[in-house]
Amino acid sequence: MSEAEDELLRELDRETHLRAMHPRMLSGHMQGMLLKMLTQMLRPRRALEIGTFTGYATLCIAAGLGDGATIDTIEVDDELESLAASFFTRSPHRDKIRPHIGSALDIVPALLAPGEAFDLIFIDGDKREYPDYYRMAMDVGLVRQGSIILADNTLWSGKVVQPVAHGDIHTQKILEFNAMVRADDRVESLLLPMRDGLSVIRVK
């Protein structure tokens, strides 16, 4: 009984499954709707996405942004750039989207002027860097009181509650991230069991 998927997003889902490796990384309709609605409720002026992939979540967040608000989205894989860009240019929200290619750890600190902060951050990049993304957000001044950090894949296919395989750095870093957030008294957090786990973190 949920609202139907936007036609542009449906086409992007199809193209991702046809042209991209690991298409299951796509946020998809249900999570995309949640991202859009959270954005509409939070009314951020500056949003950041770490991990564009093919741009599905980017388009959903952009659709929830008000006039004059923007989203900076960063993808390390330059082979995905043209696919995402082809859909961004067709979106009525294209002017709100600022795409970047490269390492988020290198790019993000230069995106804000002194005194600025992101109101909303969506983390969906390299799982091995999740703790580094969190430290960057909290310790470099990317957020302020009331800012929201969303982190995808924090249940990691259930691996977070199983013995960790030797050398499984992805699971180790997701566990480290989850523990870091839980122990941080600067934030309050809720891990939603939606798809692969979506953590909602509010800066106090």
Side-chain angles (χ1 to χ4, degrees), residues 13 27 75 84 88 90 112 119 128 132 148 164 166:
D13 187 310
S27 285
E75 174 57 49
F88 292 165
R90 294 168 56 194
L112 296 174
D119 307 298
R128 296 169 296 184
D132 294 326
I148 298 292
V164 181
H166 178 71

Side-chain angles (χ1 to χ4, degrees), residues 38-83:
L38 286 174
T39 303
Q40 288 171 322
M41 288 186 281
L42 295 168
R43 303 179 64 83
R45 301 298 297 169
R46 293 291 304 273
L48 169 68
E49 178 184 38
I50 299 176
T52 312
F53 192 45
T54 58
Y56 193 104
T58 318
L59 290 170
C60 292
I61 294 172
L65 292 173
D67 292 341
T70 58
I71 175 170
D72 288 279
T73 182
I74 303 168
E75 174 57 49
V76 71
D77 186 353
D78 59 3
E79 293 186 357
L80 295 169
E81 182 178 12
S82 61
L83 177 56

Side-chain angles (χ1 to χ4, degrees), residues 24-25 27 31 34-35 50 121-131 133-134 149-162 164 169-182 189-201:
R24 68 186 296 268
M25 291 166 55
S27 285
Q31 182 168 299
L34 178 61
L35 291 172
I50 299 176
I121 297 178
F122 180 44
I123 298 175
D124 194 17
D126 188 336
K127 311 312 165 192
R128 296 169 296 184
E129 295 183 343
Y130 265 41
Y133 299 150
Y134 185 73
I149 301 172
L150 305 173
D152 199 14
N153 306 113
T154 46
L155 290 179
W156 202 228
S157 299
K159 293 180 182 180
V160 293
V161 293
Q162 300 171 359
V164 181
I169 188 67
H170 292 82
T171 302
Q172 292 171 17
K173 290 299 182 179
I174 290 289
L175 285 167
E176 180 183 339
F177 171 84
N178 288 342
M180 183 183 300
V181 172
R182 179 71 184 275
S189 61
L190 172 68
L191 201 167
L192 297 174
M194 181 180 194
R195 294 186 75 239
D196 200 25
L198 180 68
S199 291
V200 182
I201 304 159

